[in-house]
């Protein structure tokens, strides 16, 4: 079973616990062993750097990293992404809305073409 680290925006995200818990559940259902850093509890005086040191250790023990939507808005998630890339750890990106998925959009376009019978082939 692949061990997968969940990465995303925590700082200034009021819903981070729900976001990470939803991802954890989805990953369990998909057959992964998720590692949820949002469940980690460090001492009350722990700094952002303390959390990053701790979380990077967790990441390094995983086979993959799961990037939640909005991860680019997080300094920590960007560091985790770069580290995973540099170490050759598999990177999986969350897709919440299939309309943003290029393959999905193409499939919808092809269905519409078949229904209308319109052929948009170019003429040479």
């Amino acid at each position: 079973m692949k061990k997968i680290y969940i990465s995303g925006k925590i700082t200034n995200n009021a819903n981070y616990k729900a976001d990470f818990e939803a991802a954890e559940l989805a990953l369990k259902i998909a057959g992964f062993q998720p590692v949820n850093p949002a469940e980690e509890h460090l001492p009350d005086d722990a700094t952002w750097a303390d959390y990053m040191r701790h979380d990077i250790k967790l990441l390094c023990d995983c086979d993959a990293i799961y990037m939640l939507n909005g991860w680019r808005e997080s300094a920590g998630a960007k560091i985790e992404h770069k580290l995973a890339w540099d170490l050759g750890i598999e990177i999986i990106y969350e897709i919440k809305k299939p309309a943003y998925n290029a393959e999905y959009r193409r499939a919808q376009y092809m269905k519409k073409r078949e229904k209308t019978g319109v052929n948009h082939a170019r003429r040479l």
Side-chain angles (χ1 to χ4, degrees), residues 6 17-27 36 68 94 96:
I6 303 168
K17 285 193 181 206
D19 294 343
F20 278 73
E21 287 173 6
E24 181 178 9
L25 179 60
L27 291 168
N36 184 349
L68 296 175
E94 176 185 37
K96 282 190 178 176

Side-chain angles (χ1 to χ4, degrees), residues 25-92:
L25 179 60
L27 291 168
K28 280 181 183 176
I29 291 169
F32 292 100
Q33 179 186 350
V35 175
N36 184 349
E39 290 182 345
E40 299 294 318
H41 301 288
L42 295 180
D44 291 338
D45 63 344
T47 65
W48 178 85
D50 294 331
Y51 273 94
M52 286 305 299
R53 284 184 190 98
H54 181 266
D55 293 351
I56 287 170
K57 289 176 189 173
L58 294 175
L59 170 59
C60 288
D61 288 336
C62 290
D63 305 302
I65 185 170
Y66 185 71
M67 305 304 300
L68 296 175
N69 287 337
W71 68 270
R72 287 182 174 91
E73 299 169 14
S74 166
K78 287 192 280 190
I79 290 168
E80 292 165 347
H81 182 270
K82 171 123 177 51
L83 181 63
W85 180 269
D86 290 344
L87 296 178
I89 295 172
E90 181 181 4
I91 301 172
I92 302 169

